[in-house]
Amino acid sequence: MKDDKKHLFDDPKNIKRLLNIFYLCCALLVILDFVIHRHTMHKWDSLWAFYPIYGFVGCVVLVVVAKWMRTFLMRPEDYYDKYSTANDNSDTINKNALTNNDLHKKGAHHVDY
């Protein structure tokens, strides 16, 4: 390959540095949770780690609902192939006989040609 340029995330040291920065930010946010006073509207807002637990439960619920919806929304792999082959036989225009110049002269602007 000509373009064997090394990118930022090709080096494992950079990935380790990025993860360490991420862990440091998480630890800083946990420490700030004890220091910063939050103005809460409900009793459960003042519970320790309410928002991380709420976010985790919300993500789990989304995954469970998506798996359930997959049972009735999922289509077979060849779903669109069945319908596209039925329409191909009913075409009356010979696509090979027409060139792009002929189509533009007639004013047709079809992507398929």
Side-chain angles (χ1 to χ4, degrees):
M1 288 177 72
K2 280 182 170 179
D3 192 23
D4 286 339
K5 189 170 89 172
K6 199 163 188 174
H7 296 283
L8 178 68
F9 295 116
D10 289 340
D11 189 7
K13 289 180 185 177
N14 290 336
I15 295 173
K16 183 129 176 106
R17 287 180 190 142
L18 187 67
L19 284 174
N20 286 337
I21 291 171
F22 174 71
Y23 295 143
L24 181 69
C25 288
C26 288
L28 182 66
L29 287 173
V30 168
I31 291 169
L32 286 176
D33 194 32
F34 291 112
V35 176
I36 295 176
H37 173 69
R38 290 182 283 157
H39 299 281
T40 60
M41 306 225 5
H42 304 286
K43 288 182 183 180
W44 57 81
D45 284 350
S46 62
L47 295 174
W48 184 79
F50 169 74
Y51 288 106
I53 293 170
Y54 179 72
F56 178 74
V57 169
C59 287
V60 169
V61 167
L62 282 174
V63 168
V64 169
V65 168
K67 283 181 120 181
W68 169 73
M69 287 176 64
R70 185 176 182 217
T71 59
F72 60 89
L73 289 178
M74 191 166 167
R75 300 287 180 250
E77 187 174 332
D78 61 345
Y79 177 74
Y80 292 107
D81 290 339
K82 287 190 283 190
Y83 299 108
S84 66
T85 55
N87 292 336
D88 288 344
N89 296 334
S90 64
D91 286 343
T92 58
I93 298 174
N94 185 1
K95 294 178 185 175
N96 295 330
L98 297 174
T99 63
N100 284 337
N101 291 334
D102 293 336
L103 289 173
H104 289 296
K105 288 177 188 174
K106 294 178 183 178
H109 299 287
H110 297 287
V111 177
D112 293 340
Y113 300 125

